[in-house]
Amino acid sequence: MTANEEQEMELEALRSIYEGDDCFKELSPVSFQFRVGDHDESKSFLLDVSWPETYPETAPHLSLDAFFNNRLSAETKQFIISKLQEQVEVNLGTAMMYTLFEWAKENQEMLMENHQPVMSAVTLTSNTDTNSPVSVTKKKEKKEQLTKAQKRKMIGRTDNKGELPRGWNWVDVIKHLSKTGGKEDG
């Protein structure tokens, strides 16, 4: 069996296994994103995987460079990648994406055990640990207070699934009907 046939079979398997799972995203037939943990969980991360032409005989490219991972320290990212690379080496030559993703989910606590969320410089300058959570809480409260301009911008944004809200274009349809008369002559 050629590398392309193996990739095609694994791709079909991944599509059927993760259909409807918002943790898995197929960016292209050889590139994927897999989120370990929930969106709002501080110990979650987004793993980017891409297959070279000779995958699965050669290792897939693993990356944690997604914007979602900005709060992870460089050391944490390096640790996660090194542990995932160990799993890749064990499974080299076989279809390993499902095994790799499930291993990452099962070992999320271990992978993130030394994770300290990257904070803003203001928080890092506090002298004692007891002040640190207080400043984080205050920072969160300030984030939720939006200016009028920010609220206006949010109206045009999409929902969490990337879809426009129901009825977003109804006004345009009504304007169109009022200009055309709304009924066809015929």
Side-chain angles (χ1 to χ4, degrees):
M1 189 179 296
T2 67
N4 284 344
E5 290 171 335
E6 287 183 47
Q7 287 179 10
E8 193 63 38
M9 286 178 61
E10 184 170 5
L11 181 59
E12 290 301 315
L14 289 172
R15 285 175 177 160
S16 64
I17 291 169
Y18 293 111
E19 184 179 0
D21 187 343
D22 66 343
C23 290
F24 177 79
K25 185 175 182 181
E26 181 183 335
L27 303 175
S28 77
V30 294
S31 181
F32 314 94
Q33 279 187 333
F34 190 79
R35 190 182 72 244
V36 177
D38 293 326
H39 268 298
D40 52 357
E41 200 177 312
S42 71
K43 291 191 174 195
S44 61
F45 60 91
L46 194 63
L47 176 65
D48 284 310
V49 180
S50 60
W51 294 342
E53 240 180 77
T54 54
Y55 172 85
E57 298 306 320
T58 54
H61 301 289
L62 305 176
S63 165
L64 292 172
D65 294 337
F67 181 77
F68 185 84
N69 298 326
N70 276 2
R71 71 192 180 295
L72 300 180
S73 67
E75 294 81 24
T76 302
K77 287 180 184 180
Q78 199 170 1
F79 178 73
I80 292 170
I81 292 290
S82 70
K83 290 296 181 186
L84 288 169
Q85 288 291 5
E86 289 174 15
Q87 293 303 309
V88 166
E89 287 172 26
V90 170
N91 293 295
L92 210 54
T94 64
M96 68 179 86
M97 289 299 99
Y98 175 77
T99 308
L100 198 61
F101 294 153
E102 293 303 309
W103 183 89
K105 280 196 322 195
E106 290 168 15
N107 293 282
Q108 179 185 4
E109 283 300 315
M110 180 270 295
L111 292 172
M112 298 295 282
E113 65 188 353
N114 296 320
H115 169 62
Q116 297 297 324
V118 176
M119 305 278 180
S120 67
V122 175
T123 308
L124 294 174
T125 57
S126 70
N127 294 339
T128 60
D129 288 337
T130 55
N131 288 343
S132 184
V134 174
S135 61
V136 171
T137 307
K138 285 180 184 174
K139 185 171 178 62
K140 283 184 182 176
E141 288 173 14
K142 287 181 184 175
K143 274 187 177 177
E144 292 173 10
Q145 297 172 348
L146 302 174
T147 65
K148 285 183 180 180
Q150 289 171 322
K151 288 177 184 175
R152 285 187 196 112
K153 282 183 183 176
M154 285 186 68
I155 291 171
R157 290 191 179 152
T158 57
D159 63 8
N160 61 356
K161 294 179 185 172
E163 297 173 8
L164 291 166
R166 183 175 180 263
W168 68 273
N169 61 350
W170 287 357
V171 173
D172 295 337
V173 172
I174 293 169
K175 281 182 187 176
H176 174 74
L177 291 175
S178 67
K179 289 178 185 175
T180 61
K183 294 182 181 174
E184 292 181 18
D185 295 326

